[in-house]
């Protein structure tokens, strides 16, 4: 019996995109929600690198049928509200009363035989265990281990979701694109059965350090940040309804996730910069591995949480570090010159380096990895 305490008063997700590689989609199928998610997803045929000013294009890797052939499962790009609805519907089929809305957590007390939440309304629900899946601003993490000390990465991210019908026809390709350039990059890919385009533009700036998904910027400011970039980039900027901006912060990976009968999952314990497209995937993997550990150590929550931490710590730490390294790769000054850019892309995105960077991520099986 599980209760999900959610601070929002209604389940209305921020409109943004997530990428789910085979390591994540295999979990959705294991949970029985794969077909429902697929009906709403976009399935890119591949990914590509594009040069910031000329639009020159290099293939990064094939996806589509190739992902299924190599890893057993597809690669999807999903609108966050679609993913949320699929998961929430599945939870409510299991228990219509499981999700408790308007319940803002402000603390947690964990012991060896149980744990309780402290909610903003003064109530303190108790249970055999607490799992803090409450994101980068986790109140459960703060209660267990104290306040964190995020450091500004030097990067500001612009984001928006655009109806595909507003964009020129050539945008409607089933492909994910990474535009790379000196000091900034842009990622875009289709969502919601190809009806939407997700846009993320990242720029090196030091004058904005607000870590929020809901801070509004202006089109003029976004245009200035990508002055001189290809007309395709500016076509997307022009058609974003509201360009949101947020400062990307870094946090040292936690070396301890659990205390007594409380533990953490997802961004609460391994917040990750979005440059390996694995943040959502890591949280999804966490969920299945945690469930397996609770099943294996049935009746001993403390042992299960320790097992879960051991099983997940090395992999998630590697993702946190690798994501930070990829930001530098996308922004190298060599990309300012076309001839240098060709040599740089040939080296940094060679087939061997791509395999080294991504295969260990995609082939992971949360349902069978040793515990």
């Amino acid at each position: 019996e599980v209760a999900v305490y959610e601070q929002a008063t209604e389940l209305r997700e921020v409109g943004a995109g997530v990428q789910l590689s085979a390591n994540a989609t295999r979990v959705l199928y294991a949970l029985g929600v794969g077909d429902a998610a697929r009906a709403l997803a976009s399935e890119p045929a591949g990914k590509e690198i594009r040069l910031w000013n000329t639009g020159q294009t290099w293939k990064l890797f094939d996806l589509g049928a190739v992902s299924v052939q190599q890893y057993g499962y597809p690669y999807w790009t999903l609108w966050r509200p679609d993913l949320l609805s699929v998961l929430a519907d599945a939870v409510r089929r299991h228990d219509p009363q499981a999700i408790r809305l308007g319940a803002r957590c402000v603390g947690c007390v964990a012991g060896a035989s149980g744990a309780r939440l402290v909610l903003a309304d003064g109530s303190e629900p108790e249970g055999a265990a607490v799992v803090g899946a409450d994101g980068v601003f986790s109140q459960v993490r703060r209660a267990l281990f104290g306040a964190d000390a995020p450091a500004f990465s030097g990067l500001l991210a612009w984001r928006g979701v655009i109806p595909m019908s507003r964009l020129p026809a050539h945008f409607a390709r089933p492909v994910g694109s990474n535009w790379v350039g000196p000091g900034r990059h842009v990622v875009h890919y289709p969502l919601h059965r190809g009806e939407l385009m997700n846009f993320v533009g990242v720029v090196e700036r030091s004058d904005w350090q607000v870590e929020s998904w809901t801070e509004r910027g202006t089109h003029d400011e976004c245009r200035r940040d990508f002055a001189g970039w290809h007309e395709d980039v500016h076509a997307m900027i022009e058609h974003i309804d509201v360009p949101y901006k947020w400062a990307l912060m870094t946090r040292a990976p936690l070396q301890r996730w659990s205390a007594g009968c409380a533990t953490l999952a997802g961004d609460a314990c391994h917040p990750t910069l979005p440059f390996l497209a694995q943040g959502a995937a890591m949280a999804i993997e966490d969920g299945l591995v945690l469930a397996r550990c609770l099943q294996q150590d049935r009746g001993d929550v403390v042992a299960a949480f320790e097992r879960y931490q051991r099983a997940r710590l090395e992999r998630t730490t590697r993702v946190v570090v690798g994501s930070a390294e990829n930001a530098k790769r996308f922004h190298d000054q060599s990309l300012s010159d076309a001839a240098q850019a060709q040599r740089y892309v040939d080296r940094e995105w060679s087939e061997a380096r791509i395999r080294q960077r991504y295969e260990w991520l995609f082939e992971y099986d949360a349902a069978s990895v040793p515990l």
Side-chain angles (χ1 to χ4, degrees), residues 40-41 61 67 69 140 173 231 258 265 300 313 343 368-369:
L40 298 170
F61 48 71
S67 175
Q69 179 183 356
V140 177
R173 297 181 303 133
E231 60 187 15
S258 304
D300 191 341
L313 188 60
R343 291 192 294 271
S368 64
V369 67

Side-chain angles (χ1 to χ4, degrees), residues 2-16:
V2 174
V4 180
Y5 291 90
E6 164 60 49
Q7 68 177 339
T9 55
E10 59 180 316
L11 288 184
R12 188 180 64 185
E13 180 54 84
V14 172

Side-chain angles (χ1 to χ4, degrees), residues 26-140:
R26 72 165 68 236
V27 174
L28 297 185
Y29 276 104
L31 295 175
V33 298
D35 288 340
R38 183 179 186 180
L40 298 170
S42 294
E43 187 170 355
K47 282 195 168 188
E48 63 188 16
I49 297 289
R50 299 195 69 184
L51 191 59
W52 65 283
N53 54 351
T54 67
Q56 183 177 355
T57 305
W58 298 266
K59 184 177 82 171
L60 185 55
F61 48 71
D62 291 318
L63 292 169
V66 173
S67 175
V68 177
Q69 179 183 356
Q70 291 186 344
Y71 307 111
Y73 290 86
Y75 192 113
W76 294 335
T77 52
L78 270 162
W79 196 31
R80 286 178 62 103
D82 287 342
L83 178 59
L84 177 68
S85 69
V86 167
L87 296 175
D89 287 349
V91 169
R92 284 171 166 157
R93 283 195 300 272
H94 176 75
D95 177 358
Q97 305 305 316
I99 301 175
R100 321 288 175 87
L101 298 175
R104 184 166 64 89
C105 174
V106 295
C108 171
V109 179
S113 58
R116 73 177 188 271
L117 291 177
V118 180
L119 302 182
D121 65 4
S123 61
E124 297 190 4
E126 297 186 38
V130 164
V131 179
D134 49 343
V136 293
F137 304 118
S138 173
Q139 293 301 307
V140 177

Side-chain angles (χ1 to χ4, degrees), residues 35-274:
D35 288 340
R38 183 179 186 180
L40 298 170
S42 294
E43 187 170 355
K47 282 195 168 188
E48 63 188 16
I49 297 289
R50 299 195 69 184
L51 191 59
W52 65 283
N53 54 351
T54 67
Q56 183 177 355
T57 305
W58 298 266
K59 184 177 82 171
L60 185 55
F61 48 71
D62 291 318
L63 292 169
V66 173
S67 175
V68 177
Q69 179 183 356
Q70 291 186 344
Y71 307 111
Y73 290 86
Y75 192 113
W76 294 335
T77 52
L78 270 162
W79 196 31
R80 286 178 62 103
D82 287 342
L83 178 59
L84 177 68
S85 69
V86 167
L87 296 175
D89 287 349
V91 169
R92 284 171 166 157
R93 283 195 300 272
H94 176 75
D95 177 358
Q97 305 305 316
I99 301 175
R100 321 288 175 87
L101 298 175
R104 184 166 64 89
C105 174
V106 295
C108 171
V109 179
S113 58
R116 73 177 188 271
L117 291 177
V118 180
L119 302 182
D121 65 4
S123 61
E124 297 190 4
E126 297 186 38
V130 164
V131 179
D134 49 343
V136 293
F137 304 118
S138 173
Q139 293 301 307
V140 177
R141 181 186 65 225
R142 176 185 289 266
L144 299 180
F145 305 117
D148 64 357
F152 179 50
S153 67
L155 301 172
L156 178 152
W158 291 95
R159 66 170 183 83
V161 174
I162 310 158
M164 195 72 77
S165 60
R166 295 184 187 173
L167 297 171
H170 67 270
F171 278 91
R173 297 181 303 133
V175 65
S177 299
N178 287 22
W179 295 76
V180 294
R184 58 209 70 206
H185 77 278
V186 168
V187 175
H188 62 89
Y189 48 81
L191 304 170
H192 196 65
R193 301 181 295 261
E195 297 169 21
L196 301 172
M197 177 70 84
N198 192 59
F199 172 91
V200 178
V202 179
V203 59
E204 295 175 5
R205 276 178 53 179
S206 60
D207 60 334
W208 180 264
Q209 299 187 22
V210 178
E211 188 180 25
S212 169
W213 279 65
T214 57
E215 289 289 332
R216 296 181 174 218
T218 67
H219 289 83
D220 283 344
E221 185 184 3
C222 190
R223 288 187 203 102
R224 287 195 299 271
D225 274 347
F226 292 95
W229 278 56
H230 192 274
E231 60 187 15
D232 280 0
V233 172
H234 284 275
M236 289 184 285
I237 293 171
E238 291 301 316
H239 289 98
I240 296 171
D241 279 333
V242 179
Y244 291 96
K245 62 179 182 178
W246 86 100
L248 298 179
M249 311 297 280
T250 61
R251 292 167 171 82
L254 291 182
Q255 296 306 304
R256 185 179 172 214
W257 299 357
S258 304
C261 288
T263 195
L264 303 169
D267 279 351
C269 50
H270 45 75
T272 307
L273 292 174

